[in-house]
Amino acid sequence: MDTSATRLSPPEQPRDFGFFVDGQIIPAGEREVFERHSPAHDVPVTRLPKCTTNDLDSAVKAARTAFSDRRWSGLSGADRAAVLLKAAEGIRARLEEIAYWEVLESGKPISQVRGEVGGCVGMFEYAAGLARSLHGDSFNNLGDGMFGIMTREPIGVVGIITPWNFPFLILCERVPYVLASGNSIVAKPSEFTSASTVILGEILTEAGLPDGVYNVVTGTGPTVGQAMAEHMDVDMLSFTGSTRTGRAIVAAAGASNFKKLGLELGGKNPQIVFADADLEDAADGVAFGIGFNGGQCCVSGARLIVEAAIADEFAQMVTEKMSRISVGDPLDESTQIGAITTDAQNTTIMGYIAKGQEEGAELVLGGDALDMGRGQFIAPTIFKNVDASMAIAREEIFGPVLAVMPFETLDEAIEIANDTEYGLAASVWTKNIDKALTVTRRVQAGRFWVNTTLAGGPELPIGASSNLAGAGKLGQWALKNILK
Ligand code: NAD
């Protein structure tokens, strides 16, 4: 890989990655391998071992041993913080390498991935501070005969299962906090985007993390992932992915050791725009909110709920902005939307676009697969005259498809926004503080943005307000305090 060249290109040969147990990269050996083809370039880019449930057992054992002998959990917060800060430096030093492989596996634009990996540096730095400030509580209001002390202890072995849409970012929203509080980890990345999760193992070891504290098992969901959810020696599982798989995880945890769960699942998120908003800003935000990552984002603003008086004018502004989004080679610095990450997702999105037309919504932009000569790309798409009963209004499409729905009154806006089985995130655009506060209080969403969207930082928790979207408001907060 030559990242110094002005224009990056895919590798001539796919790179072999191993999996990572007890501080060692383990090559595939006799195991089957996944060969990942870049969804933008149609060439093989990485190869990773298809691990077995025996490999998972070895990783859990390494994590358990590392936890039990207290090589990490027994260190002071200051010592753990020192390792996390070195890891932050390590990520910064290898940012280009991580970004390159992630672009090739996921199809997302290089400029975007650089920003995401840079954000991960901040998460490790922030978690280093938390490692030093974790503390318990005491109860001196129990009468003279009793005094209570609550300590916060690491839970033990934490499994982390991640999806393909933000492979490194979602991993790093969890790993540094889980480590800061003294736990051991077994991570299972998506089979489509595993490389950066393995690279993090090397970075953590170089930063001084003791062997066995962070392990990675690559493999399929129904084998390794399911076995992790059922595993009797995994104490907690953080799962990010589809609502359907989330149900399987809950069932597996219930049928095994009732492991503690953190779930971040699907979304069908509203962008509510009032006539008194700064419409130029709001149109930028709405276009960004559905265009970012090609709409393959759990918190994408997929439903534009806009005040009827400005609905046509505003839809036109958003259409104009979305028509200027540059879709193309994700290795090109100027690309804003890259390829659709998986073949199945590509089929799903095109299926919803066809369904929207069949159900009578008006297609005002896009709707096509874009022919770039190679790879799979979908044009930013907008539907108007969307009825609340239509599939494109109700179901998570996970693509660059915006459904526009007008409202007359504030109550109606709230009703439309809440007419969903999800409750993950929402945005409201208005200059009126009363409206903004009313909407944020009455619309069910774990994350709310006012006059912005998809913003955040390590200081802010993430969460969900309904069980279909995730594990209640506990979400990231629970992970940042991953203690018994
Ligand atoms: P997915 O559920 O298919 O896969 C997610 C992960 O689970 C992968 O690592 C997969 O291998 C694994 N898996 C699959 N079957 C499993 C099983 N039976 N047991 C255990 N693990 C299993 O989801 P995806 O297609 O990779 O990601 C897209 C979905 O993720 C979307 O629905 C999106 O909304 C959701 N998502 C949510 C958030 C959030 O924070 N709420 C963030 C990103 C993605």
Side-chain angles (χ1 to χ4, degrees):
M1 172 197 45
D2 178 7
T3 53
S4 65
T6 43
R7 171 128 198 167
L8 293 166
S9 52
E12 308 231 317
Q13 295 291 328
R15 177 171 159 187
D16 281 301
F17 286 84
F19 62 113
F20 189 79
V21 173
D22 216 5
Q24 305 295 323
I25 295 276
I26 304 176
E30 301 296 304
R31 293 171 190 83
E32 283 181 63
V33 292
F34 300 103
E35 188 168 72
R36 176 65 177 149
H37 286 233
S38 161
H41 308 97
D42 291 339
V43 294
V45 288
T46 58
R47 278 198 297 246
L48 285 117
K50 218 180 242 186
C51 288
T52 63
T53 51
N54 286 340
D55 295 323
L56 176 70
D57 286 341
S58 308
V60 173
K61 199 166 167 202
R64 173 62 58 196
T65 303
F67 181 71
S68 301
D69 70 16
R70 303 186 65 74
R71 69 185 79 165
W72 177 248
S73 57
L75 298 187
S76 67
D79 286 345
R80 293 206 287 262
V83 171
L84 294 172
L85 289 173
K86 277 200 192 132
E89 280 307 309
I91 294 171
R92 196 177 272 125
R94 292 177 71 173
L95 186 146
E96 286 298 328
E97 180 193 356
I98 296 167
Y100 177 74
W101 294 108
E102 189 136 318
V103 167
L104 291 169
E105 288 190 331
S106 71
K108 56 168 75 192
I110 183 89
S111 57
Q112 179 192 318
V113 187
R114 286 187 181 125
E116 288 170 21
V117 180
C120 296
V121 172
M123 288 186 226
F124 271 79
E125 290 170 343
Y126 181 69
L130 292 183
R132 299 193 70 158
S133 58
L134 281 171
H135 60 88
D137 205 350
S138 62
F139 302 81
N140 61 349
N141 61 344
L142 305 173
D144 280 345
M146 202 182 287
F147 178 59
I149 299 177
M150 185 198 79
T151 62
R152 313 195 74 168
E153 302 293 336
I155 197 166
V157 175
V158 178
I160 301 179
I161 298 179
T162 52
W164 44 256
N165 58 342
F166 292 94
F168 199 66
L169 184 74
I170 288 177
L171 183 74
C172 293
E173 282 175 342
R174 284 141 183 86
V175 167
Y177 307 107
V178 177
L179 293 179
S181 41
N183 300 283
S184 297
I185 292 174
V186 180
K188 194 213 84 68
S190 163
E191 43 275 54
F192 300 107
T193 52
S194 300
S196 58
T197 305
V198 179
I199 294 174
L200 183 63
E202 293 175 348
I203 291 172
L204 288 168
T205 300
E206 278 162 26
L209 187 75
D211 292 350
V213 178
Y214 175 85
N215 307 275
V216 181
V217 184
T218 52
T220 68
T223 52
V224 176
Q226 181 74 26
M228 192 187 269
E230 289 169 358
H231 210 290
M232 293 299 286
D233 211 20
V234 171
D235 301 297
M236 176 170 180
L237 182 57
S238 160
F239 171 76
T240 311
S242 63
T243 302
R244 185 174 46 80
T245 309
R247 281 188 206 285
I249 299 270
V250 172
S256 55
N257 62 345
F258 288 106
K259 56 183 63 62
K260 193 169 172 178
L261 294 177
L263 302 173
E264 293 286 340
L265 309 174
K268 186 75 181 175
N269 312 289
Q271 290 260 12
I272 304 166
V273 179
F274 286 93
D276 62 6
D278 178 328
L279 296 186
E280 193 60 34
D281 263 11
D284 272 345
V286 170
F288 176 70
I290 189 63
F292 181 68
N293 213 40
Q296 301 166 107
C297 190
C298 55
V299 289
S300 289
R303 291 184 294 148
L304 168 56
I305 301 170
V306 54
E307 193 159 350
I310 55 151
D312 284 339
E313 172 201 353
F314 187 73
Q316 183 52 40
M317 289 170 78
V318 176
T319 304
E320 195 275 323
K321 286 179 191 290
M322 282 179 65
S323 67
R324 284 194 282 116
I325 294 176
S326 75
V327 184
D329 183 348
L331 286 172
D332 186 328
E333 305 277 340
S334 64
T335 292
Q336 293 169 306
I337 296 184
I340 300 302
T341 304
T342 71
D343 296 349
Q345 191 55 37
N346 199 55
T347 306
T348 301
I349 299 168
M350 292 310 294
Y352 274 113
I353 291 173
K355 199 157 190 183
Q357 289 169 291
E358 278 158 33
E359 289 187 329
E362 181 193 348
L363 182 67
V364 289
L365 181 72
D368 323 304
L370 296 175
D371 184 2
M372 306 275 175
R374 56 184 182 173
Q376 54 199 15
F377 301 86
I378 295 179
T381 296
I382 303 180
F383 279 105
K384 277 186 11 180
N385 295 334
V386 177
D387 183 274
S389 65
M390 292 179 188
I392 57 167
R394 308 205 71 76
E395 296 170 23
E396 184 184 46
I397 299 175
F398 223 54
V401 183
L402 183 68
V404 183
M405 305 162 83
F407 70 85
E408 297 283 352
T409 64
L410 183 140
D411 282 340
E412 195 192 353
I414 292 168
E415 195 183 313
I416 298 171
N418 283 337
D419 185 13
T420 172
E421 59 186 12
Y422 298 106
L424 190 60
S427 302
V428 59
W429 300 82
T430 172
K431 289 288 177 204
N432 182 317
I433 184 82
D434 293 339
K435 280 186 203 164
L437 287 177
T438 303
V439 169
T440 55
R441 293 183 68 190
R442 287 177 47 199
V443 170
Q444 287 161 3
R447 246 189 283 187
F448 228 111
W449 292 285
V450 178
N451 293 330
T452 186
T453 196
L454 306 188
E459 292 79 2
L460 293 171
I462 59 175
S465 76
S466 89
N467 289 336
L468 274 177
K473 299 238 178 198
L474 288 172
Q476 179 77 346
W477 178 240
L479 281 158
K480 284 184 178 170
N481 295 277
I482 190 157
L483 302 157
K484 274 193 248 185

